């Protein structure tokens, strides 16, 4: 159940970060509210996750997958570039999360 909550925390954080881009510096009410609510939901779910998943593993997954997802959304929704350095960075982030889950963090 911890990993299900973690997936929800990641989804809420990615939605909040994406909404922040649409908020235009918090000048648009709708996206600003989605940002606020998304981050609150994300932190609540992350806190619940920490009851059953180690903090190092949970945070690495939350931040790593969230970062990779936001980078991908930046490419798809906002036309941001995806050069070799960005691809390599995302691969390294995901690789780090995999290593932690294979036993690097106990």
């Amino acid at each position: 159940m911890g990993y299900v909550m973690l997936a929800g925390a990641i989804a809420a954080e990615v939605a909040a970060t994406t909404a922040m881009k649409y908020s235009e510096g918090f000048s648009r009410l709708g996206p600003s509210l989605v940002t606020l609510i998304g981050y609150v939901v994300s932190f609540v779910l992350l806190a619940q996750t920490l009851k059953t998943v180690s903090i190092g593993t949970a945070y690495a997954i939350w931040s790593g997958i969230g970062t990779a997802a936001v980078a991908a959304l930046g490419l798809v929704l906002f036309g941001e570039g995806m050069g070799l350095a960005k691809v390599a960075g995302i691969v390294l982030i995901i690789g780090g999360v995999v290593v932690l889950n294979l036993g690097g963090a106990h």
Side-chain angles (χ1 to χ4, degrees):
M1 190 62 164
Y3 286 100
V4 172
M5 285 188 285
L6 183 57
I10 293 166
E13 188 268 333
V14 169
T17 301
T18 304
M20 189 186 308
K21 174 73 172 173
Y22 285 113
S23 78
E24 296 177 11
F26 297 114
S27 65
R28 296 179 62 214
L29 181 60
S32 297
L33 289 175
V34 171
T35 299
L36 176 66
I37 292 166
Y39 281 123
V40 168
V41 168
S42 180
F43 282 114
V44 167
L45 290 174
L46 182 59
Q48 293 302 308
T49 299
L50 296 179
K51 291 179 178 179
T52 58
V53 179
S54 71
I55 190 169
T57 300
Y59 189 74
I61 294 169
W62 181 78
S63 62
I65 301 301
T67 299
V70 169
L73 286 172
L75 174 71
V76 172
L77 297 177
F78 306 114
E80 296 178 358
M82 184 64 79
L84 185 58
K86 190 180 270 189
V87 171
I90 291 170
V91 168
L92 287 170
I93 290 167
I94 293 171
V97 169
V98 169
V99 169
L100 280 171
N101 281 307
L102 290 176
H106 294 283

